[in-house]
Amino acid sequence: VDKSDFVLQSRLISGMVMIHLLSGNLSMANDASRRLGVLAKDNQNVYIEAFAHCSMANVNLQSFNLDKALQDFIFAKEHQHILHIKFVIESMVGECLTLQLLGLPEKALNKLKHFLEYARNTGDAQHIAVSESLQARLSLMQGNIHDAIQWARSFNMEIPALGMLYFQEIPSITIT
């Protein structure tokens, strides 16, 4: 595939991934994500390959294929130097949630510490809010209702609706 065809194909397949994810068709989203990953690998485009892994991880988490989700989140996170920061954040959130769901709460908390530091170092209020929301969600998943409620009562940031279409950790949902 020449460069212009690759760009067009990768954008079209990425669009299909998003449409299938938003419509809840996880099987088709997984197929499109895999196609995107193969196309990216064949064209030696690690950025698109990492995005494809992030999408596959999302699908696998929603499908409760936790071991595969964890592998894909880790692949995407390992490429944080080239991946868009929103997808790096998504990968870190997904890794923590997946570890918790796999019954590895200590590992989830350890990864959370790194994520909190990473988010704070970005200086972006939304990234910090997402990290604190994840902390509250993990607290709740681990039976610590007090800390989760305390965070929910203190949270007052408006999160753009666009951010709620794809990402795992959405503070507005954690509150409810």
Side-chain angles (χ1 to χ4, degrees):
V1 177
D2 75 22
K3 181 147 177 76
S4 63
D5 286 344
F6 168 74
V7 170
L8 178 61
Q9 285 183 21
S10 65
R11 288 184 180 173
L12 290 173
I13 296 171
S14 295
M16 291 171 52
V17 168
M18 296 302 289
I19 288 168
H20 293 310
L21 277 172
L22 293 173
S23 68
N25 190 337
L26 298 179
S27 175
M28 295 294 285
N30 190 49
D31 291 347
S33 294
R34 286 178 195 263
R35 281 183 48 206
L36 183 61
V38 168
L39 178 69
K41 192 169 191 156
D42 288 349
N43 285 274
Q44 300 174 343
N45 189 309
V46 181
Y47 177 83
I48 299 296
E49 186 179 3
F51 169 77
H53 277 275
C54 197
S55 296
M56 285 186 282
N58 226 327
V59 169
N60 284 312
L61 181 59
Q62 291 180 45
S63 302
F64 218 68
N65 297 324
L66 300 178
D67 291 328
K68 182 67 175 127
L70 184 60
Q71 291 172 6
D72 288 325
F73 282 128
I74 290 171
F75 181 94
K77 189 184 76 172
E78 286 174 348
H79 293 84
Q80 63 183 281
H81 58 286
I82 61 165
L83 200 56
H84 189 283
I85 193 163
K86 294 280 189 191
F87 293 106
V88 174
I89 299 286
E90 172 73 357
S91 297
M92 291 178 169
V93 166
E95 183 179 14
C96 289
L97 290 174
T98 304
L99 287 166
Q100 178 64 39
L101 291 169
L102 283 167
L104 302 167
E106 293 303 317
K107 285 188 177 184
L109 290 175
N110 185 41
K111 296 294 180 180
L112 173 65
K113 287 177 190 172
H114 294 289
F115 176 44
L116 287 166
E117 181 182 345
Y118 179 87
R120 288 181 184 127
N121 286 338
T122 69
D124 186 304
Q126 286 187 357
H127 299 156
I128 295 166
V130 166
S131 69
E132 291 171 351
S133 174
L134 174 62
Q135 186 174 30
R137 191 175 295 202
L138 286 177
S139 292
L140 190 59
M141 293 171 79
Q142 294 177 3
N144 185 348
I145 296 168
H146 179 265
D147 287 354
I149 290 172
Q150 186 176 3
W151 174 83
R153 287 184 177 152
S154 69
F155 182 77
N156 62 358
M157 177 186 278
E158 187 163 325
I159 302 296
L162 185 60
M164 294 188 213
L165 293 178
Y166 183 82
F167 299 103
Q168 298 293 335
E169 188 57 44
I170 304 162
S172 303
I173 292 175
T174 300
I175 290 177
T176 60

